[in-house]
Amino acid sequence: MDVTTDAGAPWLVAGLGNPGPEYAANRHNVGFMVADLLAERIGARFKRHGKAQSQVVEGRIGPPGPAGRRVVLAKPMSFMNVSGGPVTALRDFYKVPVGNVVAVHDELDIDYGVLRLKLGGGDNGHNGLKSITKSLGPDYHRVRFGIGRPPGRMPVADFVLRDFSSTERKELDYFVDRAADAVEALVIEGLERAQSTYNS
């Protein structure tokens, strides 16, 4: 399933996470990490968007000229569980079709570092997606970054709010880089081509 959208309309890429330095390296904040790398590639710094409780970067992804895509990168500065408000406010402000909204988020049911790109579907218990779906409906894109399941009987909430392990951190930069590549491919080439490359 793919969504036909206005080719000239901007894309909104929302990296999901929790604000504050104490959460910065948590598994739950991998969406922020991907957004930060995309901003670095564009060569811009996040700035506060007063009306949307978010940090945003505006720029272009892809080749110079008409082939490039206008994109708004966002890090909602609400907490994860209420991401829908800021994402919806940005969607309205920048007049982004729902089919051009991308949520980048951690995913428990995928092995660490594995990516899955999809359009629509359920929230799989992810509170950030639950909040966005409540505001926008389900028909937005997701770039799902696998973090695996908690070990033993560790509660899910404890697991996602802990930093990546020392073993995981050895490959984290590579996986975040690959996730940023996947976002760029989705925006420039469309879902099906991006899936064929990155849905490993």
Side-chain angles (χ1 to χ4, degrees), residues 11 13 61 69-71 102 182-190 194:
W11 285 74
V13 177
I61 283 178
R69 297 283 187 268
R70 291 170 56 211
V71 67
V102 183
V183 171
E184 291 180 345
L186 170 61
V187 170
I188 298 162
E189 300 172 13

Side-chain angles (χ1 to χ4, degrees), residues 108 149-162:
L108 285 160
R149 301 294 304 185
R153 297 185 178 184
M154 182 188 291
V156 164
D158 291 349
F159 179 69
V160 300
L161 293 176
R162 287 193 180 178

Side-chain angles (χ1 to χ4, degrees), residues 65-85:
R69 297 283 187 268
R70 291 170 56 211
V71 67
V72 179
L73 306 175
K75 296 191 294 183
M77 292 289 111
S78 62
F79 281 89
M80 174 73 84
N81 296 4
V82 286
S83 300

Side-chain angles (χ1 to χ4, degrees), residues 83-98:
S83 300
V87 171
T88 302
L90 290 170
R91 189 280 311 260
D92 293 345
F93 183 85
Y94 290 103
K95 299 179 171 56
V96 179
V98 173

Side-chain angles (χ1 to χ4, degrees), residues 11 13 30-31 33-42 61-62 71 73 102 104 113 115-117 142-145 172-191 193-199:
W11 285 74
V13 177
V30 74
M33 297 173 197
V34 175
D36 284 337
L37 180 56
L38 287 165
E40 189 179 309
R41 291 180 179 183
I42 288 172
I61 283 178
V71 67
L73 306 175
V102 183
V104 185
L115 297 175
R116 290 282 186 276
L117 283 66
R142 299 102 191 272
V143 174
R144 306 158 73 204
F145 185 111
L172 182 60
D173 287 349
Y174 168 77
F175 288 138
V176 168
D177 192 69
R178 192 164 183 272
D181 290 346
V183 171
E184 291 180 345
L186 170 61
V187 170
I188 298 162
E189 300 172 13
L191 178 62
R193 288 188 66 180
Q195 283 177 322
S196 69
T197 304
Y198 293 98
N199 278 21

